[in-house]
Amino acid sequence: ESEILEDLRIMSRHWGMVRVYSSRGAAEMMCRLIHDEKIPLRVMVGAWIEPEFREKDGKREELAEAAAASKAEIAGAIALANKYPDVVLALGIGNETQVTWSAHRSSPAPLIAALREVRAATKVPVTTCDDFSYWTSEESRAVAAECDFIAAHLYAMWNKQQLPDALEWTRAKLAEIERLHAGVPIVVTEIGWATAKGTEGYQAIGVVGAPGEGEQELFYRALRDWATARSLPYFYFEAFDEKWKGGAGPDEIEKHWGVFNSDRTPKR
């Protein structure tokens, strides 16, 4: 609890909102600490959604444990929104559950059912968070119709962009989402620039932009100024490095998106 309180105080010096991906575990503690300690942060609480079934050898296999976990996540998100109305800013039901490359891709029907359930049971804006490539596809229309706003992930670095072209690429993809979902508010719920990358797999050939703390600072400042000028809400990914993520190599890109190191010292 003391470590989470330290994190909240660090973040509140620089930002006004924080996003979490689950409603269980640390999420309840975060909301309680923000409320009790009067920390000037609002939280977008997530509900982690897993597929309820999978196709195997031409047969449908029900995943009862995953379905139960998803229901618990949804119930937790509803409970936090209603218990801490001064803290919970919005709810994100599911993270990257619809995009084609997702490791936990699910069908839209249970997601739509979950969105309807949560919207009926709470008073905060509700959405699902997904990659820009999903939100620019025609199939996203049905899900978008159930959301109070579009929650989009926009990673120029993951999409073969060099740093000088990153912001223009971001603008272009955002414009595509706006054209398809005209009139629906958009929040960027993941965007960032990594400070290191590995030499294996996709990151060796697909991440062509140079990583580094100086590069991250340039991207962050450019993004901040542009988003502020057009009043675009965004969640920068991410506050702190996560050394547990990705492969075993120390330069694995998943470990290096934070603007703070994992020991909470600031980069650059």
Side-chain angles (χ1 to χ4, degrees), residues 85-119:
D86 58 325
V87 175
V88 178
L89 178 71
L91 297 176
I93 309 303
N95 185 71
E96 296 177 345
T97 66
Q98 303 300 298
V99 67
T100 56
W101 45 255
S102 175
H104 51 276
R105 192 182 188 199
S106 61
S107 62
L111 175 61
I112 288 173
L115 289 167
R116 290 175 178 174
E117 176 186 353
V118 175
R119 291 181 77 192

Side-chain angles (χ1 to χ4, degrees), residues 171-251:
R171 290 193 190 102
K173 297 306 177 186
L174 187 66
E176 289 183 36
I177 299 172
E178 289 174 326
R179 283 194 294 270
L180 186 63
H181 303 289
V184 182
I186 299 174
V187 177
V188 177
T189 44
E190 282 190 27
I191 190 168
W193 198 267
T195 55
K197 79 180 189 78
T199 57
E200 298 180 357
Y202 177 81
Q203 60 191 300
I205 59 172
V207 180
V208 298
E213 295 187 13
E215 288 81 359
Q216 183 190 65
E217 181 181 5
L218 287 170
F219 180 79
Y220 180 90
R221 290 182 183 277
L223 169 68
R224 179 197 60 192
D225 293 347
W226 167 67
T228 300
R230 62 160 288 169
S231 299
L232 174 69
Y234 68 95
F235 290 86
Y236 191 83
F237 191 87
E238 60 188 330
F240 309 106
D241 276 355
E242 297 180 283
K243 296 299 187 184
W244 58 271
K245 290 184 77 174
D251 288 336

Side-chain angles (χ1 to χ4, degrees), residues 14-70:
H14 306 280
W15 304 288
M17 304 183 298
V18 59
R19 179 187 169 204
V20 293
Y21 291 70
S22 171
S23 66
R24 298 184 293 173
E28 192 284 331
M29 186 186 298
M30 287 177 62
C31 292
R32 174 170 50 81
L33 288 170
I34 290 169
H35 174 81
D36 292 350
E37 301 293 328
K38 296 179 171 54
I39 297 171
L41 278 174
R42 301 291 300 279
V43 182
M44 180 174 176
V45 172
W48 190 263
I49 302 296
E50 294 282 355
E52 297 184 356
F53 65 89
R54 66 183 172 192
E55 299 292 337
K56 187 176 182 181
D57 300 326
K59 297 180 180 180
R60 174 168 163 155
E61 179 184 357
E62 301 293 335
L63 303 173
E65 187 174 335
S70 296

